[in-house]
């Protein structure tokens, strides 16, 4: 096996990973260099598909303030948002957005060159910055990718998966990586390993997340003994295009509702007034359950979004990609109803971190969607995720300045047994039909641990996971990427279901039909691996 060492390794090239790489290289002394590894091509990520925008609490926006953004975030978070985290992230919004502008990100502006702000659900003012109309993620990611590629100090490995972390005495010493093209393994020693591996949408049958969102970073951190937080909190977006021809469903941005579009049934009858006085702009969990409920009551596979009330010129300018995608599917959004249904979208839970990205394991950091900082609580406010990615990457890079990043020279003998297993070419693994197992798992999660949950279904899910585990008897080393992803999906799915079972209340995106009430006390859930089994810490 090949060995290498770097002062810092960043795993993942979404907006969190790309921005962390640029800021770390810019600010930190890296005697052994910086490595960025990513599972697919550089920039392929959830970030690339972000549409609505990024929260910009900008000093020049006189109608907005950090106090108002903090209040909106906390209200949406259903009692689980951490005040200090929310405050810190909100107060750094202006600074990081201005830094993104320096890196070449262009946000949409009006005729007078002022930044344009839009509104999304549960935001009390217009504060969302967007780019390319409805292509915010792609525009930010392209600008950052360009800078990363131009920077010769950042070593990039594409098509490379992190498969295990090297942890001894609760300190991370590096990572084992697998090249998906050559099938070769490499051990990378490093004093600072960053997980920027994104979310888990692919655990569900219906999701807005692309193929790579398989929860790898969360599984790696758990396997290594890190503390995870609020694993039961999955955000389902209310309006994914209800047409299946890819591995995920195309998103119809909340910003379309922000500009005035209405939810309705096939006859155009609106229904949101029955569920919340804020109607289409109620928090996402409420709109999702409303759509889901309408679908169940009328025994249909989708509801509709009517955007025809938005002026044609505005629709085309603000939502060029949504208009195009719908037209490719025979829907002219200026007068046809758009068929929409909920889909798994975002993970509020994840690896527990502080604002600097520190996890419970020394030398292991997590930033972006993989992390649970306490910003989103039980229900994320739209467009806060991209903001969290950049503020936390920025802060983690700042923090690294104070750390000695000299990587020890010699190989750690005690970690050799972990490395040896991946190195052992005598281990012959028979091929497993992972794609059918993956479909089974996605159905189990959608049917038993989805938008509405109850004890019976969650227990059924656990039983079915046992069966899947029997059909997939891998513990560590796997045959290929698909197997590694499935290994990780199974770990994370189990933890989500176990945590959902333990939370005997309904809060934010976690809705138990058998426990519809909300506790007075707001408590996070924590889980860590203790002697090989989950330990649910109070
Ligand atoms: P990602 O962007 O998902 O990047 C993860 C990276 O890690 C990828 O490059 C992946 O290939 C890599 N990776 C994963 N596992 C491994 C491994 N084992 N080894 C190596 N590499 C690995 N949020 C907003 O704030 N505003 C929006 O408008 C918005 N719109 C959205 C629209 C859609 C369709 C989706 C899916 C999400 C949207 N979100 C939005 C959420 C937001 O895009 C994500 O939460 C955010 O981009 C996550 O960024 P990230 O860098 O943490 O992870
Ligand atoms: C959207 O555009 O509706 C998604 C925004 C988000 O997830 O923050």
């Amino acid at each position: 096996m090949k060995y290498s060492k770097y002062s810092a390794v960043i795993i993942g090239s979404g907006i969190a990973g790309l921005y962390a790489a640029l800021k770390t290289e810019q600010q930190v002394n890296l005697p052994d260099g910086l490595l960025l590894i990513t599972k697919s091509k550089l920039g392929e990520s959830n970030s690339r598909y972000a549409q609505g925008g990024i929260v910009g609490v900008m000093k020049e926006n006189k109608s907005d303030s950090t106090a108002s953004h903090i209040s909106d975030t906390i209200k949406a978070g259903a009692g689980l948002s951490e005040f200090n985290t929310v405050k810190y992230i909100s107060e750094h919004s202006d600074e990081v957005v201005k830094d993104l502008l320096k890196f070449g990100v262009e946000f949409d502006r009006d005729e007078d060159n002022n930044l344009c702000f839009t509104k999304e659900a549960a935001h009390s003012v217009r504060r969302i910055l967007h780019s390319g109309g409805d292509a915010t993620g792609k525009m930010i990611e392209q600008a950052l990718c360009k800078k990363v590629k131009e920077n010769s100090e950042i070593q990039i490995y594409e098509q490379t998966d992190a498969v295990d972390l090297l942890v001894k005495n609760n300190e991370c010493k590096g990572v084992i990586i697998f090249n998906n093209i050559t099938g070769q393994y490499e051990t990378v020693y490093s004093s600072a390993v960053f997980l920027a591996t994104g979310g888990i949408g692919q655990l569900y049958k219906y999701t807005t997340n692309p193929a790579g969102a398989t929860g790898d970073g969360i599984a790696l951190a758990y396997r290594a003994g890190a503390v995870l937080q609020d694993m039961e909190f999955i955000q389902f977006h209310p309006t994914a295009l209800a047409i299946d021809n890819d591995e995920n469903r195309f998103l119809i941005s909340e910003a379309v509702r922000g500009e005035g579009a209405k939810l309705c049934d096939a006859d155009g009858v609106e229904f949101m007034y029955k569920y919340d006085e804020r109607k289409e702009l109620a928090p996402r969990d409420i709109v999702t359950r409303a759509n889901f409920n309408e679908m169940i009551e009328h025994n249909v596979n989708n509801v509709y979004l009517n955007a025809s009330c938005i002026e044609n010129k505005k629709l085309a300018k603000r939502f060029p990609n949504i208009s195009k995608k719908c037209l490719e599917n025979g829907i002219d959004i200026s007068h046809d109803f758009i068929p929409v249904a909920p889909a798994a979208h975002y993970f509020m839970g994840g690896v527990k971190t502080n604002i600097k990205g520190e996890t419970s394991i020394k030398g292991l950091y997590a930033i972006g969607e993989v992390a649970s900082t306490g910003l989103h609580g039980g229900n994320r406010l739209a467009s806060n995720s991209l903001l969290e990615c950049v503020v936390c990457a920025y802060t983690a890079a700042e923090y690294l300045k104070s750390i000695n990043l000299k990587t020890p020279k010699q190989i750690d003998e005690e970690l050799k047994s972990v490395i040896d297993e991946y190195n052992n070419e005598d281990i012959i693994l028979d091929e497993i039909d992972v794609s059918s197992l993956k479909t089974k798992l996605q159905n189990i999660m959608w049917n038993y641990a989805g938008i509405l949950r109850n004890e019976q279904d969650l227990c059924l899910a656990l039983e079915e996971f046992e069966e899947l585990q029997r059909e997939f008897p891998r513990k560590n080393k796997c045959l290929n990427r698909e197997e590694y992803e499935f290994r990780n999906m199974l770990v994370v799915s189990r933890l989500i279901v176990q945590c959902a079972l333990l939370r005997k209340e309904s809060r934010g995106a976690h809705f138990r039909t058998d426990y519809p009430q909300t506790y007075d006390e707001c408590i996070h859930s924590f889980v860590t691996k203790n002697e090989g089994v989950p330990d649910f810490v109070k």
Side-chain angles (χ1 to χ4, degrees), residues 204-205 441-450 452-453 457:
Y204 286 88
K205 179 177 179 185
L441 179 141
Q442 290 168 328
N443 280 312
I444 296 169
M445 288 300 283
W446 183 259
N447 293 329
Y448 301 145
L452 305 178
R453 297 146 177 205
D457 286 353

Side-chain angles (χ1 to χ4, degrees), residues 51-53 120 235 237 251-255 257 284 345 380-385:
Q51 294 182 356
E120 286 179 317
Q235 180 167 72
H237 197 290
L251 182 75
I252 306 295
S253 174
E254 199 156 271
R257 276 175 284 130
R284 209 169 263 182
H345 181 63
R380 177 176 66 97
L381 190 63
S383 291
N384 261 351
S385 169

Side-chain angles (χ1 to χ4, degrees), residues 14-150:
I15 285 172
L18 292 167
Y19 190 60
L22 289 166
K23 296 310 286 180
T24 304
E25 197 287 318
Q26 199 178 56
Q27 309 190 68
V28 183
N29 177 26
L30 300 162
D32 296 312
L34 174 63
L35 173 66
L36 175 65
I37 76 163
T38 192
K39 197 153 91 152
S40 184
K41 280 184 82 68
L42 193 74
E44 175 51 30
S45 58
N46 274 7
S47 299
R48 176 173 287 180
Y49 304 96
Q51 294 182 356
I54 176 169
V55 162
V57 189
M58 309 304 290
K59 297 210 165 103
E60 55 266 43
N61 184 2
K62 297 297 173 213
S63 62
D64 199 8
S65 66
T66 52
S68 155
H69 175 237
I70 293 167
S71 159
D72 290 348
T73 302
I74 286 178
K75 265 188 220 152
L80 285 181
S81 293
E82 294 296 328
F83 179 80
N84 288 338
T85 306
V86 179
K87 182 169 183 287
Y88 181 91
I89 291 181
S90 187
E91 286 175 351
H92 284 75
S93 170
D94 180 89
E95 191 178 347
V96 291
V97 167
K98 287 183 176 144
D99 199 46
L100 287 179
L101 296 175
K102 283 193 216 144
F103 277 111
V105 176
E106 290 184 12
F107 291 108
D108 295 337
R109 292 176 182 270
D110 64 17
E111 309 76 61
D112 301 320
N113 205 34
N114 297 314
L115 288 169
C116 293
F117 296 96
T118 191
K119 198 163 187 282
E120 286 179 317
H123 284 276
S124 52
V125 300
R126 296 178 83 90
R127 63 161 69 94
I128 319 291
L129 297 166
H130 44 89
S131 184
D134 54 3
T136 309
K138 186 169 163 200
M139 302 299 279
I140 301 178
E141 178 246 294
Q142 278 178 350
L144 298 182
C145 272
K146 182 167 179 288
K147 294 288 180 202
V148 165
K149 281 186 190 154
E150 284 167 4

Side-chain angles (χ1 to χ4, degrees), residues 4 18 29 31 53 64-66 100 114 116 138 161 174 183 267 284 292 297 299 302 312 342 398 510 512 514 531:
S4 55
L18 292 167
N29 177 26
D64 199 8
S65 66
T66 52
L100 287 179
N114 297 314
C116 293
K138 186 169 163 200
D161 300 31
D267 299 320
R284 209 169 263 182
F292 200 56
E297 256 182 29
N299 195 21
N302 57 271
N312 277 2
E398 279 284 313
H510 170 74
R512 290 278 303 251
D514 47 353
E531 294 174 2

Side-chain angles (χ1 to χ4, degrees), residues 160-175:
T160 303
D161 300 31
V163 297
D164 242 334
L165 296 168
L166 295 170
V167 173
K168 190 185 133 193
N169 298 336
N170 205 42
E171 182 171 350
C172 186
K173 310 270 189 174
V175 55

Side-chain angles (χ1 to χ4, degrees), residues 148-438:
V148 165
K149 281 186 190 154
E150 284 167 4
N151 191 327
S152 58
E153 300 299 317
I154 304 174
Q155 170 77 47
I156 304 166
Y157 287 0
E158 291 180 303
Q159 299 295 348
T160 303
D161 300 31
V163 297
D164 242 334
L165 296 168
L166 295 170
V167 173
K168 190 185 133 193
N169 298 336
N170 205 42
E171 182 171 350
C172 186
K173 310 270 189 174
V175 55
I176 298 179
I177 62 179
F178 171 75
N179 183 308
N180 188 46
I181 307 292
T182 63
Q184 298 297 304
Y185 289 89
E186 180 173 335
T187 298
V188 183
Y189 286 98
S190 180
S191 322
V193 176
F194 277 81
L195 297 170
T197 46
I200 58 125
Q202 284 290 324
L203 267 47
Y204 286 88
K205 179 177 179 185
Y206 299 117
T207 179
T208 62
N209 293 191
T214 49
D216 296 3
I218 296 158
L220 261 57
Y222 173 75
R223 287 163 57 84
V227 174
L228 310 181
Q229 176 171 266
D230 294 341
M231 292 292 288
E232 61 276 37
F233 288 96
I234 290 109
Q235 180 167 72
F236 294 86
H237 197 290
T239 57
L241 183 64
I243 295 176
D244 290 315
N245 35 31
D246 294 312
E247 75 272 339
N248 59 351
R249 282 188 159 180
F250 182 81
L251 182 75
I252 306 295
S253 174
E254 199 156 271
V256 183
R257 276 175 284 130
E259 298 294 351
K262 301 288 177 204
L263 287 160
C264 61
D265 67 14
D267 299 320
V269 179
E270 292 173 20
F271 54 78
M272 269 314 297
Y273 70 93
K274 288 191 278 178
Y275 297 93
D276 194 286
E277 60 185 15
R278 292 160 289 184
K279 298 183 190 165
E280 277 74 9
L281 295 184
R284 209 169 263 182
D285 58 324
I286 295 174
V287 185
T288 292
R289 282 194 295 274
N291 285 356
F292 200 56
N293 189 49
E294 292 289 315
M295 285 161 53
I296 294 170
E297 256 182 29
H298 298 101
N299 195 21
V300 289
N301 293 327
N302 57 271
V303 291
Y304 292 89
L305 189 66
N306 177 7
S308 66
C309 46
I310 305 172
E311 195 206 335
N312 277 2
K313 236 167 88 189
K314 186 171 189 181
L315 254 186
K317 185 157 180 244
R318 272 293 279 115
F319 306 112
N321 296 298
I322 294 174
S323 304
K324 182 165 167 270
K325 181 76 182 185
C326 286
L327 211 51
E328 283 166 12
N329 286 285
I331 304 156
D332 174 353
I333 68 169
S334 66
H335 63 77
D336 298 332
F337 291 171
I338 311 167
V340 291
H345 181 63
Y346 183 83
F347 194 40
M348 272 83 69
V351 186
K352 180 175 166 40
T353 68
N354 61 17
I355 200 71
K356 294 180 279 199
E358 288 178 292
T359 68
S360 59
I361 295 178
K362 187 167 177 231
L364 179 68
Y365 302 81
I367 46 171
E369 190 166 341
V370 66
S372 181
T373 61
L375 172 70
H376 311 299
N379 182 37
R380 177 176 66 97
L381 190 63
S383 291
N384 261 351
S385 169
L386 294 181
L387 177 65
E388 183 189 48
C389 286
V390 278
V391 172
C392 292
Y394 184 94
T395 310
E398 279 284 313
Y399 174 65
L400 277 199
K401 285 198 234 169
S402 63
I403 307 267
N404 175 7
L405 292 176
K406 190 93 190 89
T407 310
K409 272 209 178 69
Q410 73 279 31
I411 296 170
D412 197 305
E413 279 306 312
E414 280 185 45
L415 291 171
K416 266 192 100 250
S417 64
V418 183
I419 298 166
D420 283 349
E421 184 178 339
Y422 288 93
N423 211 6
N424 187 349
E425 287 176 5
D426 294 339
I427 301 180
I428 309 288
L429 301 168
D430 298 329
E431 220 160 302
I432 298 175
D433 177 11
V434 190
S435 111
S436 76
L437 297 183
K438 188 171 159 183

